[in-house]
Amino acid sequence: MLPVPAVTGPFRKPTFRFGRGHRGADLAGAPGQAVLAAREGVVVFAGPVAGRGVVSVDHPDGLRSTYEPVAPSVTAGEAVAAGDPLGVLQPGHAGCPAAACLHWGVRRDRLDHLDPLVLLRPPRMRLLPWDHTEPVADPAVPHGGQAGGPPTARVGGAPP
């Protein structure tokens, strides 16, 4: 949603599988405000659930994001890019201190709920030292590639 909304209800991971918690974040908005896809993916559901509009998007990395209450403007099977409109925010979210609140959830697998706000943070990067030498090819990997991650042995030579 634009502008960047205030968080009115933070994510609270349950202590056990079906325990109490808040499996998403609530974001303050206005009725009719555009709800945008957080990342690229494919819409897997767009329609009512228990009288509330819901849109769910599967992302290439295996995560699924869900947005509610939303009047969908997309249909299941539709590809979306980050920032594409999914629908408009509807009022009626119980406990919402604003005119309307978006409940935004993210999960991995079926029951592993994650804090959706991490999708908005820049990725963590880990810089490794570089000694200006070329990596040694791993003979166990076809075509001289490297197996899983940075090389562990280097030979002398000019940088690539």
Side-chain angles (χ1 to χ4, degrees):
M1 294 189 314
L2 293 175
V4 176
V7 176
T8 62
F11 174 81
R12 290 184 307 279
K13 189 167 186 86
T15 55
F16 60 96
R17 188 174 183 174
F18 297 107
R20 293 180 61 171
H22 187 228
R23 293 165 176 84
D26 292 341
L27 309 175
Q33 184 174 0
V35 174
L36 310 176
R39 297 169 59 199
E40 71 171 304
V42 175
V43 176
V44 292
F45 182 83
V49 173
R52 294 168 45 142
V54 175
V55 175
S56 293
V57 178
D58 277 356
H59 304 287
D61 59 2
L63 297 180
R64 174 176 287 184
S65 57
T66 301
Y67 310 79
E68 62 177 290
V70 175
S73 61
V74 293
T75 58
E78 190 174 330
V80 294
D84 281 356
L86 301 174
V88 295
L89 185 60
Q90 297 177 312
H93 186 321
C96 175
C101 286
L102 176 72
H103 178 80
W104 178 32
V106 172
R107 72 177 197 213
R108 180 184 319 122
D109 301 320
R110 185 162 166 79
L111 294 171
D112 187 12
H113 296 271
L114 308 172
D115 183 350
L117 299 180
V118 300
L119 297 182
L120 304 178
R121 296 182 191 129
R124 292 177 58 189
M125 297 180 68
R126 181 174 165 207
L127 300 177
L128 300 173
W130 180 46
D131 62 3
H132 301 289
T133 59
E134 294 187 39
V136 175
D138 185 339
V141 178
H143 311 294
Q146 298 166 8
T152 55
R154 296 184 180 264
V155 295

